Amino acid sequence: MSEAESEFHPMREPSIEKVVVHMGVGQGGRDLGNAEEIIEEITGQQSVRTSAKRTVQAFNIRQGDPIGAKVTLRNEDAEAFLETALPLADISASQFDDAGNVSFGVDEHTAFPSQEYDPNTGIYGLDVTVTLVRPGYRVAKRDQVTRSIPDKHRMTAEDAIAFLENEFDVEIDE
C-alpha cells in the first residue's frame, strides 16, 4: 500500500465537535443584557450566563456574579457559524493547542453581516473556541470501559490546520 493510500482512512477524518462563542462583559446589568442579545442574534441560539469563579477585588467582581454570556454550537449550526466567523479573524498556528483545538477572537460584533453599529449598544468583542475530534474520541470520555486514544489517532495542531484550510478555505499564518 502506498503512503498516500494509507494516509486517508475514514476513522481519521477530523470533524467539529463543538464551537463555543463567548462574550465576557465583566459586569451584569444593561451591558450583559446587550451582550446576550447580540450573541443570540449572531448565533441564532439561546445564550447562557457565565458567572465569576472567584472574587477579584481589583475588578470589583464577587464570586457568583454574572460576568458574561456563551453559546455552544454543534453540527450544522457550528459549521455555518464558522463559515461566517473564520474570514473575520486572523488565525496563526500559535492559536492551536496540542489537541488540535483553536481559539480566536473577533474584535467587533459589527463585523458580522447581520449586525450594525448602534450608539446606544456600543461595540462588543467575542471569543470563539473550536473543538475538533476524530471518530472514536468518545472511548476516552465514556464512563464504562474507558481506554486511552493511541498517539497516532490523536488530533494534532497540524491536522487541525489542514482541516480548517481545506474545509473552510482559510489562510492560517505560520
Side-chain angles (χ1 to χ4, degrees):
M1 207 179 331
S2 72
E3 193 174 311
E5 290 174 6
S6 65
E7 188 103 4
F8 177 75
H9 190 280
M11 288 296 287
R12 292 188 49 79
E13 186 67 29
S15 63
I16 299 168
E17 179 186 12
K18 64 182 176 179
V19 174
V20 178
V21 184
H22 177 260
M23 280 187 166
V25 180
Q27 60 191 8
R30 186 186 308 186
D31 288 340
L32 183 55
N34 290 341
E36 286 176 332
E37 286 178 25
I38 291 168
I39 204 167
E40 288 171 6
E41 248 181 71
I42 290 172
T43 61
Q45 195 167 311
Q46 182 71 35
S47 65
V48 176
R49 284 191 176 188
T50 57
S51 55
K53 300 267 188 225
R54 58 184 155 276
T55 301
V56 181
Q57 286 184 338
F59 297 118
N60 200 19
I61 296 174
R62 285 192 225 130
Q63 182 178 359
D65 282 353
I67 57 170
K70 70 176 180 178
V71 170
T72 302
L73 304 168
R74 298 180 192 272
N75 303 324
E76 295 83 28
D77 293 337
E79 289 182 23
F81 178 79
L82 284 179
E83 287 175 4
T84 307
L86 283 173
L88 303 176
D90 293 328
I91 302 176
S92 67
S94 64
Q95 291 171 285
F96 289 81
D97 68 2
D98 295 335
N101 304 313
V102 62
S103 293
F104 60 92
V106 179
D107 293 333
E108 299 179 0
H109 74 276
T110 56
F112 285 92
S114 63
Q115 299 295 305
E116 293 181 12
Y117 176 70
D118 180 11
N120 298 327
T121 305
I123 294 177
Y124 291 87
L126 50 101
D127 305 315
V128 180
T129 302
V130 182
T131 305
L132 300 173
V133 294
R134 285 200 165 111
Y137 76 97
R138 196 178 91 65
V139 169
K141 295 183 181 273
R142 65 187 178 191
D143 291 336
Q144 297 179 356
V145 197
T146 303
R147 300 282 185 264
S148 63
I149 304 292
D151 289 341
K152 286 178 18 181
H153 195 67
R154 290 195 177 131
M155 283 290 294
T156 62
E158 293 80 26
D159 296 337
I161 290 170
F163 174 74
L164 289 179
E165 286 179 338
N166 292 337
E167 290 292 315
F168 297 100
D169 198 31
V170 176
E171 187 74 27
I172 296 176
D173 305 326
E174 292 300 316

